[in-house]
Amino acid sequence: MAALTLPRPPFSAFILLLFLLRLPYSHQQQPQTPPAPSAGGELYFPGFKNSASNISLAGFAQIQRSNGLLQLTNHTSRLLGHAFYSSPFRLKASPNGSALSFSTSFVFSIVPEYPKLGGHGLAFALSPSPHPAALPSQYLGLLNSSDMGNFSNHLFAVEFDTVQDFEFGDINDNHVGIDINSLVSNDSASAAYYAGDSSGKVDLNLKSGKPVFAWVDYDSGSTTVNVTVSPSSSKPTKPILSFKVDLSPILNEHMYVGFSASTGLLASSHYVLGWSFSIGGGGDSRALELSSLPQLPGPKKDHRVALAIGVSFSVVLVLVLAIGAVFYIVRKIRNADPIEDWELDIGPHRFSYQELKRATDGFKGNQLLGAGGFGQVYRGILRNSKTQIAVKRISHESKQGLREFVSEISTIGRLRHRNLVQLLGWCRRRSDLLLVYEFMPNGSLDKFLFDGPETTLDWDQRFNIIKGVASGLLYLHEGYEQVVIHRDVKASNVLLDGELNGRLGDFGLARLYDHGSNPSTTRVVGTLGYLAPELSRTGKSDAFSDVYAFGAFLLEVVCGRRPIEPKAPAEELVLVDWVWERYREGRVLDVVDSKLNGEFNESEVLMILKLGLMCSNSKPDQRPSMRQVMRYLDGEVEVPESSRAPGALEVERGQGGFEDFLDSFASSSFDNMSSSSFTGRRDFDTTLSLSTPRSLPNVSTGYTR
Ligand SMILES: *[C@@H]1O[C@H](CO)[C@@H](O)[C@H](O)[C@H]1NC(C)=O
Ligand SMILES: *[C@@H]1O[C@H](CO)[C@@H](O)[C@H](O)[C@H]1NC(C)=O
Ligand SMILES: *[C@@H]1O[C@H](CO)[C@@H](O)[C@H](O)[C@H]1NC(C)=O
Ligand SMILES: *[C@@H]1O[C@H](CO)[C@@H](O)[C@H](O)[C@H]1NC(C)=O
Ligand SMILES: *[C@@H]1O[C@H](CO)[C@@H](O)[C@H](O)[C@H]1NC(C)=O
Ligand SMILES: *[C@@H]1O[C@H](CO)[C@@H](O)[C@H](O)[C@H]1NC(C)=O
Ligand SMILES: *[C@@H]1O[C@H](CO)[C@@H](O)[C@H](O)[C@H]1NC(C)=O
């Protein structure tokens, strides 16, 4: 650390001025043609000053002119930065030859925006392209969601990851990993180093903002990759990762060598201070010494600038600041919404109300995207990062419910999967809760299915959406450390991204109504037509009730109509019964959406319909788990023919299957009446016509504990 301290201000201010004066000259530097592909050789960059022509930069990445510091990202969300040596290296002696030994060392620093929360990480990479077509956030700028794990990626990377992504099975939020063609690490270890020969591991914080020394060595003889990190320039003798892998089939003959970094919802500035690389020589890459590397920008920088500008300016500045502060405080008092203790535990995802107000133009009507069950949704653009967002505004009369829900946001906000709509943050203002989500340009799926849609989806698109939603739901049920029950799976909660991939939204929201205001009632939440019959008896949602709703969803995607369609002829009123009748009669393809004009893959459609019926079984343990559903969808297992009606169980018990089925609708509708607005009006109407006096007494007992 001592080496990092800057000289006293007046001197450094002088240097700074010198650099400022020098700037025009560096502009005139001619871009040089990149040298021919290197075969064997060495790189040595103790800082990247005057190396702009040797390094190919992309994304945010830049080399600071003043001191030659390579910066890959700053504190802006969802950035990526690439810095690769401008010409590819020959990593194999011949196309079919074996990969050559190489050795590299570099010094990097990760300065997070919030002290303990990094975002997302940095990687040393061997890549076929100096600018991979990749995504930021958890993809680290190396891969995208469509090429994950593909053998044709020819990617080798060592990640220094500061966010724990459950999707990729990360071990923690401070680890080193070896990634081959995928961001699911082949081997990883918590960041640490062996201080001496005999002593144990010492933890190393990657996101401390201090320089971290790293070494990556590949030995072609023993086909081993070693990764070592240390807070100082002396290389520990024992690596933190030693992974046996023959890189020959993974690498191309010529590859680009360099770095990639990205930020996500949370951001860090990622810097590379120096880098050396050697290949084919057999020896270690040249050592880097901290004293010869550029210095990281520290808090002292402001000090320097202020002094360079001069004392007189600072006086003006102080005055301006003082006036600004007075205005700010006055405004703050006007908009005061004191933060309560429990909110402090939630973490950094809290947006300020002002920011969201600005982003949505003050929640103006023309920004309204829709008004759904849980509240209104507005479109917005965050001023700082220019990110498009959707803001959901929910009013909740019960402070208790709101409080418990907000405390769950920390969990929900950590769920990450490409088939879930990412929750970016939240804001509470009085009894309003504002949830900030990723913006989904194509809106919700129901608009493409029901009520004479303007555009409709072809079968392949529908099948892809079904698979996406299934894998999102499987992640909620099994991919996370705790089981997350969605409770409101339906077409209108499935949103479509720019590429028409299905993304499940609103997960966890239904929970808000569980912590309802009336303690004597356990509200059954969800939407009529998707509610599993057992919910009316137990009132408890579980993974199987999600599967039931998923079954209803499957049928509506194939048939292009809602689970209950009041306008339909009486026998077709309840979708699942209609499908079952047709299936029994061997005419099941009659139910397929006529908007498909008969163009569909018959075996896929049949499979989905059978699966839909299977999931709609009134007996929870007859429904498949989402993992089984995934197997059916992937064609690993064939969906069995069913010989019983989905409601058969109730008949056996002598309760009358169909009536019990309707009862469960009626009862859920009764509950909906009291919390008026959270199902669509159409559903509400239906239930009124379905509720018979006979079924109502059932209802009141069904819900009170
Ligand atoms: C950078 O490129 C120039 C011109 O091609 C070359 O002379 C120089 O050796 C290169 N430096 C490194 C470190 O590769
Ligand atoms: C990051 O860099 C961009 C572009 O140079 C700049 O507009 C933005 O203000 C920077 N963000 C932060 C937080 O420094
Ligand atoms: C390399 O391998 C490919 C396919 O395995 C083969 O067709 C080709 O002839 C080989 N080339 C050399 C130079 O051995
Ligand atoms: C994903 O990466 C592959 C290969 O790098 C590229 O061909 C493809 O276009 C990328 N897809 C997207 C959506 O960027
Ligand atoms: C892997 O990528 C290649 C080329 O980009 C593509 O043709 C192939 O379908 C991909 N394989 C998988 C399993 O995605
Ligand atoms: C690395 O992991 C990927 C998937 O995560 C796997 O396909 C590949 O076989 C693994 N490679 C090695 C050498 O273990
Ligand atoms: C990797 O580490 C192991 C264990 O310390 C060591 O035996 C081996 O020589 C190292 N290999 C390389 C290429 O550094």
Side-chain angles (χ1 to χ4, degrees), residues 410-447:
S410 57
T411 309
I412 293 167
R414 286 164 71 196
L415 294 169
R416 279 192 175 72
H417 189 278
R418 64 175 170 279
N419 294 109
L420 298 179
V421 179
Q422 181 71 46
L423 178 68
L424 301 178
W426 61 284
C427 164
R428 182 189 65 89
R429 188 175 153 87
R430 305 203 180 100
S431 65
D432 277 353
L433 179 64
L434 302 168
L435 295 175
V436 182
Y437 292 98
E438 264 179 297
F439 178 71
M440 292 288 123
N442 280 315
S444 59
L445 175 60
D446 58 338
K447 301 209 179 64

Side-chain angles (χ1 to χ4, degrees), residues 94-97:
S94 66
N96 295 355

Side-chain angles (χ1 to χ4, degrees), residues 456-694:
T456 176
L457 301 167
D458 65 28
W459 174 249
D460 286 343
Q461 288 165 328
R462 293 186 198 204
F463 193 52
N464 180 44
I465 291 167
I466 287 174
K467 279 180 157 172
V469 171
S471 89
L473 200 53
L474 172 62
Y475 173 74
L476 289 181
H477 287 178
E478 295 184 17
Y480 192 60
E481 56 202 359
Q482 65 204 72
V483 178
V484 178
I485 306 299
H486 186 292
R487 291 158 196 253
D488 206 4
V489 177
K490 56 177 171 175
S492 56
N493 274 342
V494 170
L495 297 162
L496 301 178
D497 66 16
E499 291 155 4
L500 291 175
N501 292 310
R503 307 254 223 130
L504 207 43
D506 272 2
F507 40 97
L509 252 196
R511 197 119 173 87
L512 182 58
Y513 283 87
D514 243 18
H515 309 301
S517 46
N518 181 354
S520 70
T521 315
T522 303
R523 281 198 176 149
V524 173
V525 294
T527 306
L528 182 66
Y530 304 85
L531 285 176
E534 74 270 13
L535 281 175
S536 65
R537 292 192 296 270
T538 65
K540 287 224 168 65
S541 305
D542 58 13
F544 289 113
S545 47
D546 269 0
V547 170
Y548 183 88
F550 181 74
F553 164 78
L554 289 179
L555 298 182
E556 64 185 345
V557 173
V558 178
C559 306
R561 46 152 286 185
R562 293 189 168 81
I564 295 181
E565 193 68 82
K567 283 194 216 125
E571 54 153 5
E572 299 178 14
L573 179 74
V574 178
L575 179 57
V576 61
D577 289 332
W578 181 48
V579 174
W580 168 249
E581 276 309 309
R582 289 288 176 273
Y583 176 74
R584 214 170 42 104
E585 295 162 12
R587 292 164 48 203
V588 73
L589 292 180
D590 288 3
V591 304
V592 177
D593 192 355
S594 58
K595 295 188 285 294
L596 286 171
N597 296 323
E599 287 167 19
F600 52 82
N601 178 327
E602 209 169 287
S603 62
E604 282 174 1
V605 164
L606 261 176
M607 185 257 284
I608 299 292
L609 285 172
K610 280 196 281 181
L611 191 55
L613 288 172
M614 195 173 170
C615 296
S616 302
N617 199 304
S618 59
K619 200 174 167 191
D621 58 12
Q622 297 290 306
R623 295 172 207 151
S625 69
M626 282 316 291
R627 184 161 296 280
Q628 282 168 305
V629 167
M630 241 13 249
R631 279 195 202 114
Y632 292 131
L633 289 177
D634 288 339
E636 283 174 33
V637 191
E638 202 157 320
V639 186
E641 299 289 333
S642 49
S643 52
R644 281 181 177 176
L649 164 87
E650 310 299 337
V651 179
E652 278 170 17
R653 280 200 191 161
Q655 287 183 354
F658 187 69
E659 277 179 8
D660 195 70
F661 198 57
L662 289 190
D663 278 359
S664 81
F665 289 152
S667 37
S668 54
S669 76
F670 182 72
D671 191 65
N672 290 348
M673 282 186 239
S674 49
S675 59
S676 55
S677 69
F678 78 84
T679 50
R681 199 150 297 143
R682 175 179 305 279
D683 298 336
F684 189 71
D685 291 343
T686 324
T687 58
L688 284 184
S689 59
L690 286 177
S691 313
T692 60
R694 202 185 68 75

Side-chain angles (χ1 to χ4, degrees), residues 24 55 71-72 100 110-111 137 187 230 274 306 364 390 458 479 495 504 613 635 644 662:
I55 303 285
Q71 182 172 14
L72 291 166
L100 302 172
I110 300 179
V111 185
S137 303
D187 195 8
S230 163
K364 278 231 192 75
D458 65 28
L495 297 162
L504 207 43
L613 288 172
R644 281 181 177 176
L662 289 190

Side-chain angles (χ1 to χ4, degrees), residues 133 144 146-147 153 499:
N144 60 41
S146 52
D147 63 0
N153 290 337
E499 291 155 4

Side-chain angles (χ1 to χ4, degrees), residues 179-208:
D179 299 346
I180 294 170
N181 294 330
S182 165
L183 286 155
V184 180
S185 300
N186 289 75
D187 195 8
S188 60
S190 187
Y193 61 101
Y194 291 93
D197 286 340
S198 52
S199 48
K201 269 195 270 191
V202 182
D203 286 339
L204 177 69
N205 182 3
L206 296 175
K207 47 188 182 289
S208 64

